[in-house]
Amino acid sequence: MAVVQIQMRKASPVKGCALFNLGFRPFFLGAGIFAIVSIVWWVLVYSGHGFVQIQSITNAQWHAHEMLYGYGLAVVAGFLLTAVRNWTGVSTPHGKPLMGLFALWVSARLLFLFGTSLMLWATIADLLFGLMLIIAISIPIFRAKQWPQLAVIVKVAMLWVGNIVFYLGYYQILQDGMLYAINGAVLLLIGLILMIGRRVIPFFIERGVSQPFKIKHHQWLDTSILVAFLALFINEIFYQHAELTPYLAIGLFMMNGYRLSRWHVWGIWRVPLLWSLYLSAWMINVGFLLYGLHALCAIPLILVLHLFTIGGIGLMSLAMMARVALGHTGRDIRASSVWLVPTFIAVMLSLLLRVFAPMFAMQFYPHWIVASALCWIIAFAIFVWIYAPILYKPRVDGSPG
């Protein structure tokens, strides 16, 4: 009888707001909303219908910073605050501490919407948020003595340092600091996706397809990709030997392409939460190819960077948020909303319009940018509409989290 009562109590619905029960909840919702607000604001500024006071940096640098260190780092925070708790069994911030951490991120984003007029306060809030995030994920890892997870801490810490470099550039303490920070953030976020994606995407595929499927991993291949990417990052940020870039980037494309081919099974194309992750992984890989060829083929670097940011970071983060939110709220990941398909398609249209359309008709470049932004806004509006109730309501199975 006691067992039955416990089961009934767990299965019974829990009322109230659960937004600050676990890290993914506020940061995924905040990232989704900010992805809309920031791009709406950017389109208004870009098209001349809005004005933001920006000094010492360009409008494009302001936009890039907010998408990389604003949106991107929010998704990273939500994912790692949840994943680190699962990896270590040690609690990460929840309740009021999580609310405080989230408030720092929100404060920095709101201050940045005013351009650089409130830059000092935005700098303080932004860097304090990054530092607190590093501490929040480090404590459980050190307590559990999970030393292999130090690689995650290092990448987040490097993102924080990159953000410092951006502000040093703004205050004219470090020449070209904004450029280093933006290019570095793109590569660091791609590196984080490669590392975490290697862990979770095969796991999701094996358990998400209907037919039995087992992915065989090769340590030599994983290590080779890691070393090649590290070499590319060091060269692009510190040494900038242009003659090395094609070899490193195309080598990455070939090795990572081979690994992705071993992850493929036709069953993923029947599951939106799988094909979106897999397609995004391939967009990153095509990004490596174009990154290696852009100088030889006269492909503007800004298009290659947007292939990484929209097709890689954008689609991957959206798909990951959609999948993680279902799993960690006790919902059936096989019963995702039918609206996820148009959501993912809208992001892919945003990518095609922003990256590939200009390659064939550069004279319409401003129009491609606006059309791409509209597709992005539609995608995240659908995501917020679907997932806001999922993220602020308690788990359906009555469990904590």
Side-chain angles (χ1 to χ4, degrees):
M1 179 65 71
V3 174
V4 173
Q5 289 176 344
I6 291 173
Q7 290 176 343
M8 290 177 63
R9 186 159 54 247
K10 286 185 177 181
S12 61
V14 179
K15 297 181 180 180
C17 178
L19 188 61
F20 295 101
N21 284 8
L22 196 53
F24 76 94
R25 292 178 176 273
F27 281 106
F28 285 2
L29 183 57
I33 294 172
F34 183 71
I36 301 169
V37 173
S38 182
I39 295 301
V40 168
W41 207 243
W42 160 245
V43 169
L44 291 174
V45 172
Y46 179 80
S47 61
H49 293 89
F51 174 76
V52 177
Q53 181 182 348
I54 297 176
Q55 296 177 340
S56 299
I57 60 175
T58 65
N59 290 353
Q61 289 170 340
W62 167 72
H63 158 67
H65 178 274
E66 285 305 273
M67 295 311 296
L68 293 168
Y69 292 101
Y71 168 80
L73 203 51
V75 178
V76 169
F79 180 85
L80 289 181
L81 289 171
T82 306
V84 166
R85 191 190 75 158
N86 289 346
W87 296 340
T88 63
V90 179
S91 180
T92 51
H94 58 278
K96 290 182 179 179
L98 178 58
M99 190 183 301
L101 185 63
F102 182 65
L104 285 173
W105 177 82
V106 172
S107 299
R109 307 290 66 81
L110 291 176
L111 291 166
F112 249 109
L113 288 179
F114 293 96
T116 58
S117 58
L118 300 171
M119 193 63 156
L120 177 61
W121 297 107
T123 302
I124 294 171
D126 211 15
L127 295 182
L128 189 57
F129 161 70
L131 180 60
M132 292 299 101
L133 175 62
I134 294 168
I135 294 172
I137 64 173
S138 298
I139 290 174
I141 289 173
F142 280 101
R143 284 182 178 175
K145 298 181 179 179
Q146 290 196 0
W147 310 127
Q149 311 296 356
L150 291 178
V152 173
I153 300 175
V154 169
K155 284 186 171 59
V156 177
M158 289 177 69
L159 278 168
W160 183 64
V161 171
N163 209 8
I164 293 175
V165 169
F166 180 89
Y167 292 115
L168 291 177
Y170 169 80
Y171 287 109
Q172 299 179 354
I173 299 172
L174 179 63
Q175 186 176 2
D176 295 327
M178 293 83 69
L179 183 63
Y180 287 119
I182 290 168
N183 291 342
V186 172
L187 291 175
L188 282 170
L189 287 170
I190 292 298
L192 199 57
I193 289 173
L194 287 176
M195 181 179 67
I196 295 177
R198 161 59 184 81
R199 299 183 187 184
V200 302
I201 295 177
F203 175 82
F204 291 163
I205 291 174
E206 289 175 347
R207 285 153 182 78
V209 295
S210 55
Q211 68 268 46
F213 182 64
K214 184 66 176 178
I215 297 174
K216 184 178 180 181
H217 299 287
H218 296 292
Q219 186 61 46
W220 66 267
L221 181 61
D222 296 335
T223 303
S224 298
I225 292 172
L226 175 63
V227 170
F229 182 83
L230 183 61
L232 179 68
F233 176 83
I234 292 173
N235 182 62
E236 296 305 296
I237 302 302
F238 298 105
Y239 295 102
Q240 299 176 351
H241 293 312
E243 67 276 8
L244 291 178
T245 299
Y247 296 103
L248 293 171
I250 295 174
L252 264 172
F253 166 76
M254 295 175 65
M255 290 186 293
N256 194 49
Y258 174 68
R259 182 167 71 177
L260 289 175
S261 70
R262 299 183 66 83
W263 294 0
H264 183 266
V265 59
W266 288 109
I268 65 173
W269 301 106
R270 293 193 290 269
V271 185
L273 287 174
L274 293 181
W275 63 252
S276 54
L277 291 170
Y278 189 74
L279 189 59
S280 178
W282 263 107
M283 291 303 98
I284 291 173
N285 207 41
V286 174
F288 289 140
L289 176 63
L290 296 188
Y291 197 81
L293 296 177
H294 83 272
L296 300 174
C297 301
I299 302 171
L301 182 58
I302 190 67
L303 300 184
V304 180
L305 291 177
H306 277 88
L307 177 54
F308 279 136
T309 54
I310 299 175
I313 299 168
L315 182 57
M316 181 68 74
S317 61
L318 189 62
M320 195 68 74
M321 288 192 294
R323 205 277 184 193
V324 169
L326 288 180
H328 284 278
T329 56
R331 289 169 170 81
D332 185 1
I333 58 173
R334 295 177 181 269
S336 59
S337 171
V338 295
W339 285 97
L340 282 180
V341 174
T343 302
F344 298 145
I345 290 175
V347 176
M348 286 304 300
L349 284 174
S350 177
L351 171 68
L352 294 174
L353 291 167
R354 185 64 182 85
V355 176
F356 295 103
M359 292 182 185
F360 298 97
M362 185 60 81
Q363 67 271 26
F364 301 116
Y365 189 61
H367 303 290
W368 296 135
I369 290 179
V370 174
S372 171
L374 289 175
C375 290
W376 175 277
I377 292 165
I378 290 170
F380 279 88
I382 298 173
F383 170 78
V384 171
W385 173 59
I386 296 171
Y387 276 87
I390 293 173
L391 292 168
Y392 72 71
K393 290 182 179 179
R395 287 178 60 104
V396 294
D397 57 6
S399 300

